[in-house]
mmCIF file of all heavy atoms in Angstrom:
data_model
loop_
_atom_site.group_PDB
_atom_site.id
_atom_site.type_symbol
_atom_site.label_atom_id
_atom_site.label_comp_id
_atom_site.label_asym_id
_atom_site.label_seq_id
_atom_site.Cartn_x
_atom_site.Cartn_y
_atom_site.Cartn_z
ATOM 1 N N ARG V 6 -13.307 2.548 -4.177
ATOM 2 C CA ARG V 6 -12.501 2.159 -3.008
ATOM 3 C C ARG V 6 -12.283 0.648 -2.955
ATOM 4 O O ARG V 6 -11.210 0.189 -2.575
ATOM 5 C CB ARG V 6 -13.166 2.658 -1.713
ATOM 6 C CG ARG V 6 -13.277 4.164 -1.614
ATOM 7 C CD ARG V 6 -13.473 4.637 -0.184
ATOM 8 N NE ARG V 6 -14.579 4.046 0.529
ATOM 9 C CZ ARG V 6 -15.829 4.506 0.496
ATOM 10 N NH1 ARG V 6 -16.146 5.547 -0.268
ATOM 11 N NH2 ARG V 6 -16.766 3.923 1.216
ATOM 12 N N GLU V 7 -13.313 -0.118 -3.301
ATOM 13 C CA GLU V 7 -13.156 -1.571 -3.196
ATOM 14 C C GLU V 7 -12.158 -2.111 -4.226
ATOM 15 O O GLU V 7 -11.516 -3.131 -3.969
ATOM 16 C CB GLU V 7 -14.506 -2.260 -3.340
ATOM 17 C CG GLU V 7 -15.150 -2.192 -4.695
ATOM 18 C CD GLU V 7 -16.526 -2.827 -4.707
ATOM 19 O OE1 GLU V 7 -16.965 -3.313 -3.643
ATOM 20 O OE2 GLU V 7 -17.186 -2.820 -5.771
ATOM 21 N N LYS V 8 -11.989 -1.432 -5.336
ATOM 22 C CA LYS V 8 -10.996 -1.873 -6.332
ATOM 23 C C LYS V 8 -9.585 -1.707 -5.815
ATOM 24 O O LYS V 8 -8.653 -2.429 -6.230
ATOM 25 C CB LYS V 8 -11.152 -1.065 -7.622
ATOM 26 C CG LYS V 8 -12.385 -1.389 -8.418
ATOM 27 C CD LYS V 8 -12.449 -0.526 -9.672
ATOM 28 C CE LYS V 8 -13.725 -0.803 -10.486
ATOM 29 N NZ LYS V 8 -13.804 0.073 -11.680
ATOM 30 N N LEU V 9 -9.385 -0.764 -4.905
ATOM 31 C CA LEU V 9 -8.057 -0.453 -4.413
ATOM 32 C C LEU V 9 -7.806 -0.994 -2.999
ATOM 33 O O LEU V 9 -6.742 -0.777 -2.433
ATOM 34 C CB LEU V 9 -7.826 1.053 -4.433
ATOM 35 C CG LEU V 9 -7.661 1.604 -5.862
ATOM 36 C CD1 LEU V 9 -8.014 3.070 -5.933
ATOM 37 C CD2 LEU V 9 -6.261 1.379 -6.350
ATOM 38 N N SER V 10 -8.784 -1.660 -2.417
ATOM 39 C CA SER V 10 -8.612 -2.208 -1.086
ATOM 40 C C SER V 10 -7.476 -3.223 -1.059
ATOM 41 O O SER V 10 -7.320 -4.040 -1.969
ATOM 42 C CB SER V 10 -9.917 -2.877 -0.638
ATOM 43 O OG SER V 10 -9.755 -3.526 0.596
ATOM 44 N N ILE V 11 -6.643 -3.154 -0.016
ATOM 45 C CA ILE V 11 -5.533 -4.111 0.142
ATOM 46 C C ILE V 11 -5.760 -4.867 1.454
ATOM 47 O O ILE V 11 -5.455 -4.339 2.538
ATOM 48 C CB ILE V 11 -4.176 -3.390 0.162
ATOM 49 C CG1 ILE V 11 -3.977 -2.605 -1.148
ATOM 50 C CG2 ILE V 11 -3.034 -4.396 0.364
ATOM 51 C CD1 ILE V 11 -2.676 -1.833 -1.220
ATOM 52 N N PRO V 12 -6.303 -6.073 1.409
ATOM 53 C CA PRO V 12 -6.536 -6.862 2.632
ATOM 54 C C PRO V 12 -5.196 -7.132 3.326
ATOM 55 O O PRO V 12 -4.125 -7.106 2.698
ATOM 56 C CB PRO V 12 -7.163 -8.156 2.116
ATOM 57 C CG PRO V 12 -7.682 -7.826 0.742
ATOM 58 C CD PRO V 12 -6.780 -6.777 0.216
ATOM 59 N N GLU V 13 -5.267 -7.442 4.609
ATOM 60 C CA GLU V 13 -4.046 -7.670 5.390
ATOM 61 C C GLU V 13 -3.184 -8.776 4.794
ATOM 62 O O GLU V 13 -1.960 -8.715 4.804
ATOM 63 C CB GLU V 13 -4.428 -8.012 6.832
ATOM 64 C CG GLU V 13 -3.242 -8.070 7.788
ATOM 65 C CD GLU V 13 -3.664 -8.176 9.238
ATOM 66 O OE1 GLU V 13 -4.657 -7.514 9.634
ATOM 67 O OE2 GLU V 13 -3.008 -8.932 9.975
ATOM 68 N N ALA V 14 -3.834 -9.779 4.217
ATOM 69 C CA ALA V 14 -3.082 -10.896 3.627
ATOM 70 C C ALA V 14 -2.248 -10.476 2.426
ATOM 71 O O ALA V 14 -1.315 -11.176 2.022
ATOM 72 C CB ALA V 14 -4.038 -12.008 3.219
ATOM 73 N N GLN V 15 -2.565 -9.322 1.828
ATOM 74 C CA GLN V 15 -1.853 -8.861 0.633
ATOM 75 C C GLN V 15 -0.860 -7.736 0.930
ATOM 76 O O GLN V 15 -0.169 -7.258 0.047
ATOM 77 C CB GLN V 15 -2.847 -8.374 -0.420
ATOM 78 C CG GLN V 15 -3.786 -9.444 -0.940
ATOM 79 C CD GLN V 15 -4.831 -8.899 -1.892
ATOM 80 O OE1 GLN V 15 -4.697 -7.776 -2.410
ATOM 81 N NE2 GLN V 15 -5.883 -9.655 -2.129
ATOM 82 N N VAL V 16 -0.769 -7.313 2.197
ATOM 83 C CA VAL V 16 0.076 -6.175 2.552
ATOM 84 C C VAL V 16 1.559 -6.488 2.311
ATOM 85 O O VAL V 16 2.312 -5.636 1.784
ATOM 86 C CB VAL V 16 -0.154 -5.746 4.013
ATOM 87 C CG1 VAL V 16 0.921 -4.754 4.480
ATOM 88 C CG2 VAL V 16 -1.522 -5.119 4.162
ATOM 89 N N GLU V 17 2.008 -7.685 2.679
ATOM 90 C CA GLU V 17 3.423 -8.036 2.472
ATOM 91 C C GLU V 17 3.825 -7.898 1.027
ATOM 92 O O GLU V 17 4.852 -7.287 0.690
ATOM 93 C CB GLU V 17 3.680 -9.451 2.978
ATOM 94 C CG GLU V 17 5.149 -9.860 2.840
ATOM 95 C CD GLU V 17 5.439 -11.243 3.363
ATOM 96 O OE1 GLU V 17 4.472 -11.999 3.625
ATOM 97 O OE2 GLU V 17 6.628 -11.577 3.538
ATOM 98 N N GLU V 18 3.006 -8.451 0.137
ATOM 99 C CA GLU V 18 3.296 -8.391 -1.293
ATOM 100 C C GLU V 18 3.288 -6.951 -1.798
ATOM 101 O O GLU V 18 4.135 -6.549 -2.593
ATOM 102 C CB GLU V 18 2.244 -9.217 -2.069
ATOM 103 C CG GLU V 18 2.460 -9.229 -3.583
ATOM 104 C CD GLU V 18 1.347 -9.947 -4.315
ATOM 105 O OE1 GLU V 18 0.477 -10.544 -3.642
ATOM 106 O OE2 GLU V 18 1.358 -9.903 -5.566
ATOM 107 N N ALA V 19 2.304 -6.160 -1.315
ATOM 108 C CA ALA V 19 2.205 -4.759 -1.758
ATOM 109 C C ALA V 19 3.413 -3.937 -1.299
ATOM 110 O O ALA V 19 3.962 -3.144 -2.090
ATOM 111 C CB ALA V 19 0.911 -4.138 -1.226
ATOM 112 N N ILE V 20 3.863 -4.161 -0.079
ATOM 113 C CA ILE V 20 5.033 -3.426 0.421
ATOM 114 C C ILE V 20 6.273 -3.810 -0.397
ATOM 115 O O ILE V 20 7.056 -2.942 -0.807
ATOM 116 C CB ILE V 20 5.258 -3.715 1.931
ATOM 117 C CG1 ILE V 20 4.196 -2.989 2.751
ATOM 118 C CG2 ILE V 20 6.662 -3.291 2.366
ATOM 119 C CD1 ILE V 20 4.260 -3.274 4.245
ATOM 120 N N ALA V 21 6.434 -5.098 -0.655
ATOM 121 C CA ALA V 21 7.585 -5.553 -1.423
ATOM 122 C C ALA V 21 7.566 -4.947 -2.840
ATOM 123 O O ALA V 21 8.613 -4.522 -3.358
ATOM 124 C CB ALA V 21 7.593 -7.072 -1.500
ATOM 125 N N HIS V 22 6.379 -4.904 -3.434
ATOM 126 C CA HIS V 22 6.232 -4.340 -4.781
ATOM 127 C C HIS V 22 6.621 -2.852 -4.773
ATOM 128 O O HIS V 22 7.378 -2.382 -5.615
ATOM 129 C CB HIS V 22 4.785 -4.519 -5.246
ATOM 130 C CG HIS V 22 4.577 -4.208 -6.696
ATOM 131 N ND1 HIS V 22 3.551 -4.746 -7.438
ATOM 132 C CD2 HIS V 22 5.236 -3.393 -7.540
ATOM 133 C CE1 HIS V 22 3.601 -4.283 -8.675
ATOM 134 N NE2 HIS V 22 4.625 -3.458 -8.760
ATOM 135 N N LEU V 23 6.069 -2.126 -3.817
ATOM 136 C CA LEU V 23 6.364 -0.682 -3.747
ATOM 137 C C LEU V 23 7.832 -0.418 -3.448
ATOM 138 O O LEU V 23 8.433 0.503 -4.021
ATOM 139 C CB LEU V 23 5.485 -0.040 -2.665
ATOM 140 C CG LEU V 23 4.014 0.138 -3.070
ATOM 141 C CD1 LEU V 23 3.131 0.332 -1.835
ATOM 142 C CD2 LEU V 23 3.858 1.323 -4.019
ATOM 143 N N ARG V 24 8.419 -1.235 -2.574
ATOM 144 C CA ARG V 24 9.838 -1.042 -2.246
ATOM 145 C C ARG V 24 10.756 -1.333 -3.445
ATOM 146 O O ARG V 24 11.915 -0.910 -3.473
ATOM 147 C CB ARG V 24 10.254 -1.938 -1.079
ATOM 148 C CG ARG V 24 9.754 -1.521 0.303
ATOM 149 C CD ARG V 24 10.406 -0.259 0.806
ATOM 150 N NE ARG V 24 11.849 -0.299 0.768
ATOM 151 C CZ ARG V 24 12.617 -0.862 1.690
ATOM 152 N NH1 ARG V 24 12.045 -1.447 2.748
ATOM 153 N NH2 ARG V 24 13.934 -0.856 1.582
ATOM 154 N N SER V 25 10.241 -2.052 -4.438
ATOM 155 C CA SER V 25 11.049 -2.381 -5.620
ATOM 156 C C SER V 25 11.200 -1.198 -6.563
ATOM 157 O O SER V 25 12.061 -1.209 -7.435
ATOM 158 C CB SER V 25 10.453 -3.570 -6.357
ATOM 159 O OG SER V 25 9.236 -3.194 -7.019
ATOM 160 N N TYR V 26 10.349 -0.185 -6.393
ATOM 161 C CA TYR V 26 10.475 1.004 -7.247
ATOM 162 C C TYR V 26 11.749 1.773 -6.885
ATOM 163 O O TYR V 26 12.128 1.828 -5.701
ATOM 164 C CB TYR V 26 9.257 1.901 -7.116
ATOM 165 C CG TYR V 26 8.021 1.372 -7.785
ATOM 166 C CD1 TYR V 26 6.985 0.777 -7.054
ATOM 167 C CD2 TYR V 26 7.847 1.484 -9.168
ATOM 168 C CE1 TYR V 26 5.838 0.306 -7.684
ATOM 169 C CE2 TYR V 26 6.715 1.008 -9.793
ATOM 170 C CZ TYR V 26 5.707 0.416 -9.044
ATOM 171 O OH TYR V 26 4.567 -0.059 -9.668
ATOM 172 N N PRO V 27 12.397 2.412 -7.854
ATOM 173 C CA PRO V 27 13.702 3.045 -7.584
ATOM 174 C C PRO V 27 13.694 4.231 -6.644
ATOM 175 O O PRO V 27 14.693 4.532 -6.004
ATOM 176 C CB PRO V 27 14.197 3.463 -8.994
ATOM 177 C CG PRO V 27 12.950 3.496 -9.831
ATOM 178 C CD PRO V 27 12.040 2.440 -9.270
ATOM 179 N N HIS V 28 12.542 4.944 -6.520
ATOM 180 C CA HIS V 28 12.549 6.156 -5.701
ATOM 181 C C HIS V 28 11.862 5.979 -4.338
ATOM 182 O O HIS V 28 11.774 6.930 -3.571
ATOM 183 C CB HIS V 28 11.873 7.305 -6.471
ATOM 184 C CG HIS V 28 12.618 7.717 -7.702
ATOM 185 N ND1 HIS V 28 12.351 7.202 -8.954
ATOM 186 C CD2 HIS V 28 13.672 8.567 -7.857
ATOM 187 C CE1 HIS V 28 13.182 7.737 -9.830
ATOM 188 N NE2 HIS V 28 13.976 8.555 -9.191
ATOM 189 N N ILE V 29 11.390 4.768 -4.029
ATOM 190 C CA ILE V 29 10.672 4.556 -2.766
ATOM 191 C C ILE V 29 11.603 3.867 -1.768
ATOM 192 O O ILE V 29 12.089 2.771 -2.020
ATOM 193 C CB ILE V 29 9.388 3.730 -3.010
ATOM 194 C CG1 ILE V 29 8.425 4.547 -3.858
ATOM 195 C CG2 ILE V 29 8.761 3.320 -1.699
ATOM 196 C CD1 ILE V 29 7.142 3.843 -4.217
ATOM 197 N N GLU V 30 11.809 4.519 -0.627
ATOM 198 C CA GLU V 30 12.725 3.988 0.383
ATOM 199 C C GLU V 30 12.009 3.349 1.571
ATOM 200 O O GLU V 30 12.469 2.366 2.123
ATOM 201 C CB GLU V 30 13.636 5.122 0.882
ATOM 202 C CG GLU V 30 14.534 5.699 -0.221
ATOM 203 C CD GLU V 30 15.468 6.753 0.301
ATOM 204 O OE1 GLU V 30 15.041 7.559 1.158
ATOM 205 O OE2 GLU V 30 16.627 6.799 -0.139
ATOM 206 N N GLU V 31 10.930 3.946 2.007
ATOM 207 C CA GLU V 31 10.121 3.430 3.127
ATOM 208 C C GLU V 31 8.668 3.478 2.683
ATOM 209 O O GLU V 31 8.262 4.354 1.942
ATOM 210 C CB GLU V 31 10.312 4.242 4.408
ATOM 211 C CG GLU V 31 11.733 4.322 4.923
ATOM 212 C CD GLU V 31 11.815 5.135 6.214
ATOM 213 O OE1 GLU V 31 10.842 5.121 7.006
ATOM 214 O OE2 GLU V 31 12.843 5.804 6.437
ATOM 215 N N VAL V 32 7.857 2.564 3.231
ATOM 216 C CA VAL V 32 6.433 2.557 2.836
ATOM 217 C C VAL V 32 5.565 1.945 3.926
ATOM 218 O O VAL V 32 5.985 1.017 4.619
ATOM 219 C CB VAL V 32 6.235 1.823 1.488
ATOM 220 C CG1 VAL V 32 6.559 0.339 1.626
ATOM 221 C CG2 VAL V 32 4.846 2.014 0.932
ATOM 222 N N ALA V 33 4.362 2.498 4.096
ATOM 223 C CA ALA V 33 3.360 1.950 5.014
ATOM 224 C C ALA V 33 1.994 2.126 4.356
ATOM 225 O O ALA V 33 1.743 3.126 3.668
ATOM 226 C CB ALA V 33 3.399 2.675 6.353
ATOM 227 N N ILE V 34 1.095 1.162 4.591
ATOM 228 C CA ILE V 34 -0.195 1.148 3.908
ATOM 229 C C ILE V 34 -1.327 1.102 4.905
ATOM 230 O O ILE V 34 -1.420 0.164 5.722
ATOM 231 C CB ILE V 34 -0.311 -0.077 2.955
ATOM 232 C CG1 ILE V 34 0.802 -0.019 1.903
ATOM 233 C CG2 ILE V 34 -1.678 -0.115 2.289
ATOM 234 C CD1 ILE V 34 0.940 -1.324 1.121
ATOM 235 N N ILE V 35 -2.211 2.096 4.869
ATOM 236 C CA ILE V 35 -3.453 2.052 5.659
ATOM 237 C C ILE V 35 -4.592 1.691 4.691
ATOM 238 O O ILE V 35 -4.840 2.398 3.734
ATOM 239 C CB ILE V 35 -3.779 3.417 6.318
ATOM 240 C CG1 ILE V 35 -2.691 3.801 7.326
ATOM 241 C CG2 ILE V 35 -5.136 3.378 6.993
ATOM 242 C CD1 ILE V 35 -2.918 5.139 7.985
ATOM 243 N N SER V 36 -5.249 0.585 4.953
ATOM 244 C CA SER V 36 -6.381 0.157 4.108
ATOM 245 C C SER V 36 -7.560 -0.183 4.996
ATOM 246 O O SER V 36 -7.520 -1.140 5.777
ATOM 247 C CB SER V 36 -5.988 -1.057 3.259
ATOM 248 O OG SER V 36 -7.039 -1.430 2.395
ATOM 249 N N THR V 37 -8.623 0.632 4.913
ATOM 250 C CA THR V 37 -9.841 0.400 5.681
ATOM 251 C C THR V 37 -11.038 0.497 4.753
ATOM 252 O O THR V 37 -10.875 0.738 3.547
ATOM 253 C CB THR V 37 -10.005 1.451 6.819
ATOM 254 O OG1 THR V 37 -10.387 2.714 6.229
ATOM 255 C CG2 THR V 37 -8.706 1.629 7.593
ATOM 256 N N CYS V 38 -12.241 0.357 5.282
ATOM 257 C CA CYS V 38 -13.418 0.441 4.430
ATOM 258 C C CYS V 38 -13.603 1.834 3.850
ATOM 259 O O CYS V 38 -14.259 2.010 2.823
ATOM 260 C CB CYS V 38 -14.678 0.010 5.179
ATOM 261 S SG CYS V 38 -15.061 1.025 6.621
ATOM 262 N N ASN V 39 -13.023 2.837 4.495
ATOM 263 C CA ASN V 39 -13.224 4.207 4.046
ATOM 264 C C ASN V 39 -12.000 4.876 3.437
ATOM 265 O O ASN V 39 -12.079 6.015 2.992
ATOM 266 C CB ASN V 39 -13.732 5.078 5.201
ATOM 267 C CG ASN V 39 -15.203 4.848 5.461
ATOM 268 O OD1 ASN V 39 -15.975 4.682 4.525
ATOM 269 N ND2 ASN V 39 -15.586 4.795 6.718
ATOM 270 N N ARG V 40 -10.835 4.196 3.433
ATOM 271 C CA ARG V 40 -9.634 4.843 2.873
ATOM 272 C C ARG V 40 -8.580 3.828 2.500
ATOM 273 O O ARG V 40 -8.491 2.734 3.073
ATOM 274 C CB ARG V 40 -9.047 5.839 3.884
ATOM 275 C CG ARG V 40 -8.415 5.233 5.124
ATOM 276 C CD ARG V 40 -7.950 6.295 6.105
ATOM 277 N NE ARG V 40 -9.067 7.043 6.613
ATOM 278 C CZ ARG V 40 -9.346 8.309 6.270
ATOM 279 N NH1 ARG V 40 -8.542 8.947 5.441
ATOM 280 N NH2 ARG V 40 -10.392 8.950 6.767
ATOM 281 N N LEU V 41 -7.791 4.223 1.513
ATOM 282 C CA LEU V 41 -6.515 3.543 1.213
ATOM 283 C C LEU V 41 -5.484 4.649 1.115
ATOM 284 O O LEU V 41 -5.616 5.544 0.283
ATOM 285 C CB LEU V 41 -6.564 2.749 -0.083
ATOM 286 C CG LEU V 41 -5.187 2.214 -0.492
ATOM 287 C CD1 LEU V 41 -4.790 1.046 0.398
ATOM 288 C CD2 LEU V 41 -5.123 1.825 -1.939
ATOM 289 N N GLU V 42 -4.470 4.593 1.964
ATOM 290 C CA GLU V 42 -3.430 5.613 1.955
ATOM 291 C C GLU V 42 -2.065 4.956 2.006
ATOM 292 O O GLU V 42 -1.826 4.052 2.814
ATOM 293 C CB GLU V 42 -3.608 6.546 3.167
ATOM 294 C CG GLU V 42 -4.906 7.309 3.119
ATOM 295 C CD GLU V 42 -5.168 8.204 4.306
ATOM 296 O OE1 GLU V 42 -4.395 8.154 5.296
ATOM 297 O OE2 GLU V 42 -6.159 8.958 4.274
ATOM 298 N N ILE V 43 -1.176 5.395 1.111
ATOM 299 C CA ILE V 43 0.169 4.860 1.081
ATOM 300 C C ILE V 43 1.137 5.979 1.464
ATOM 301 O O ILE V 43 1.219 7.011 0.799
ATOM 302 C CB ILE V 43 0.515 4.327 -0.325
ATOM 303 C CG1 ILE V 43 -0.415 3.143 -0.648
ATOM 304 C CG2 ILE V 43 1.981 3.884 -0.387
ATOM 305 C CD1 ILE V 43 -0.191 2.539 -2.014
ATOM 306 N N TYR V 44 1.809 5.784 2.590
ATOM 307 C CA TYR V 44 2.796 6.735 3.106
ATOM 308 C C TYR V 44 4.177 6.258 2.681
ATOM 309 O O TYR V 44 4.479 5.066 2.739
ATOM 310 C CB TYR V 44 2.718 6.826 4.628
ATOM 311 C CG TYR V 44 1.430 7.434 5.129
ATOM 312 C CD1 TYR V 44 0.280 6.686 5.220
ATOM 313 C CD2 TYR V 44 1.370 8.796 5.448
ATOM 314 C CE1 TYR V 44 -0.909 7.257 5.647
ATOM 315 C CE2 TYR V 44 0.178 9.381 5.869
ATOM 316 C CZ TYR V 44 -0.960 8.606 5.972
ATOM 317 O OH TYR V 44 -2.133 9.186 6.367
ATOM 318 N N SER V 45 5.018 7.203 2.295
ATOM 319 C CA SER V 45 6.333 6.785 1.794
ATOM 320 C C SER V 45 7.382 7.847 2.036
ATOM 321 O O SER V 45 7.094 9.048 2.047
ATOM 322 C CB SER V 45 6.244 6.479 0.308
ATOM 323 O OG SER V 45 7.458 5.964 -0.182
#
């Protein structure tokens, strides 16, 4: 889990990266000590 944790300071970059993929239109990221979930 810690390898995949996305701190708040990195969320903007992660959203931009994910939005650059051809099939992803919307994206939201939940990152806590117990989960990382990407909704799209």
